[in-house]
């Protein structure tokens, strides 16, 4: 049944889910600021979500061109915007991850289960690395849509990102005892539904890339 779905159908489904995810991440940014407008955590969460939404929007636009076989030159505005944005997003995420890691090493949350904390930090770090790789690989592949090794690399990173997105969704919804308090229902719904949408959009993007034929690059994308 799945094998009978055309590449155009996978493309439409993937791009539709990704644009909905962009809106979802923007909503998450607004929710983080609304929920905790006076704290540094609220502003950092909002900034991270805003940067993620911008990077995802440009990534989705480039993916749409790739799925149509279009070549995007280095001077293209969308490609340049993504190339400039995603390293800052990764740096912010690594900064947040590292700050929490140092706090835990200094003795924060002594009552928390160390296995659960290790799982949290490991999955989170993996998600940061895989997200950075997905962004960077598509930037390179957008200039050479017919490159088989780059296509394979993008498929592999998308596959890993989908698995890690499942883990991040669970960790964002289910609190680690002794580390975080019981989250509000609204917070669980926002991050839980956002995480599920992330998983769905990533899987659909993977299927759309897998459905690409081996053909050569098409016409250059319009600026």
């Amino acid at each position: 049944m799945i094998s009978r779905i055309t590449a155009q159908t996978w493309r439409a489904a993937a791009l539709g889910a990704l644009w909905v995810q962009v809106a979802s991440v923007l909503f998450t940014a607004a929710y983080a600021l609304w929920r905790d407008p006076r704290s540094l955590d609220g502003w950092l969460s909002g900034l991270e979500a805003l940067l993620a939404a911008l990077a995802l929007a440009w990534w989705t636009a480039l993916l749409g061109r790739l799925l149509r076989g279009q070549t995007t030159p280095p001077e293209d505005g969308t490609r340049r915007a993504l190339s400039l944005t995603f390293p800052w997003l990764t740096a912010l995420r690594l900064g947040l991850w590292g700050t929490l890691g140092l706090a835990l090493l200094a003795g924060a949350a002594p009552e928390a289960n160390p296995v659960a904390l290790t799982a949290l930090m490991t999955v989170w770090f993996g998600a940061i690395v895989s997200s950075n790789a997905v962004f960077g690989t598509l930037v390179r592949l957008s200039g050479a849509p017919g490159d088989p090794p780059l296509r394979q690399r993008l498929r592999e990173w998308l596959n890993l990102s989908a698995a890690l997105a499942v883990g991040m969704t669970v960790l964002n919804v289910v609190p680690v005892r002794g580390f975080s308090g019981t989250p509000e229902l609204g917070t669980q719904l926002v991050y839980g539904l956002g995480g599920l949408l992330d998983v769905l959009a990533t899987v659909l993007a993977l299927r759309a890339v897998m459905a690409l034929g081996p053909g050569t690059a098409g016409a250059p994308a319009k600026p």
Side-chain angles (χ1 to χ4, degrees):
M1 181 69 178
I2 292 180
S3 61
R4 297 180 181 177
I5 299 177
T6 65
Q8 290 80 5
T9 301
W10 283 121
R11 181 180 69 203
L15 295 178
L18 285 165
W19 285 118
V20 172
Q21 187 186 4
V22 171
S24 172
V25 177
L26 285 172
F27 176 80
T28 301
Y31 178 80
L33 292 173
W34 169 81
R35 181 173 174 269
D36 209 358
R38 297 183 179 180
S39 75
L40 180 60
D41 287 344
W43 281 97
L44 287 176
S45 296
L47 176 61
E48 188 272 339
L50 178 59
L51 283 176
L54 290 174
L56 180 60
W58 289 317
W59 188 88
T60 301
L62 283 184
L63 180 67
R65 297 177 186 177
L66 169 71
L67 296 177
R68 294 178 180 89
Q70 296 176 341
T71 301
T72 303
E75 64 272 14
D76 177 81
T78 301
R79 181 175 173 180
R80 291 177 61 188
L82 179 58
S83 298
L84 290 172
T85 303
F86 84 82
W88 287 100
L89 174 62
T90 301
L92 175 59
R93 287 172 168 173
L94 286 175
L96 296 173
W97 180 86
T99 300
L100 177 57
L102 289 175
L104 293 175
L105 289 175
E111 299 179 357
N113 187 320
V115 175
L117 289 179
T118 300
L120 168 65
M121 298 302 291
T122 302
V123 172
W124 187 10
F125 182 76
I128 294 171
V129 172
S130 66
S131 175
N132 183 78
V134 165
F135 287 135
T137 303
L138 182 62
V139 168
R140 295 190 295 274
L141 184 57
S142 65
D147 189 315
L150 281 177
R151 284 191 184 187
Q152 178 61 26
R153 198 171 306 162
L154 180 59
R155 289 193 293 266
E156 291 171 352
W157 281 117
L158 284 171
N159 188 49
L160 179 60
S161 292
L164 290 169
V166 174
M168 287 301 300
T169 301
V170 173
L171 292 171
N172 281 328
V173 174
V174 180
V176 176
R177 183 173 300 179
F179 172 71
S180 57
T182 303
E184 300 175 355
L185 178 60
T187 301
Q188 287 181 306
L189 289 175
V190 168
Y191 287 97
L193 293 176
L196 291 176
L197 183 56
D198 183 14
V199 175
L200 175 63
T202 305
V203 170
L204 289 175
L206 172 61
R207 294 296 309 186
V209 174
M210 291 174 63
L212 277 174
T216 58
K222 295 181 180 179

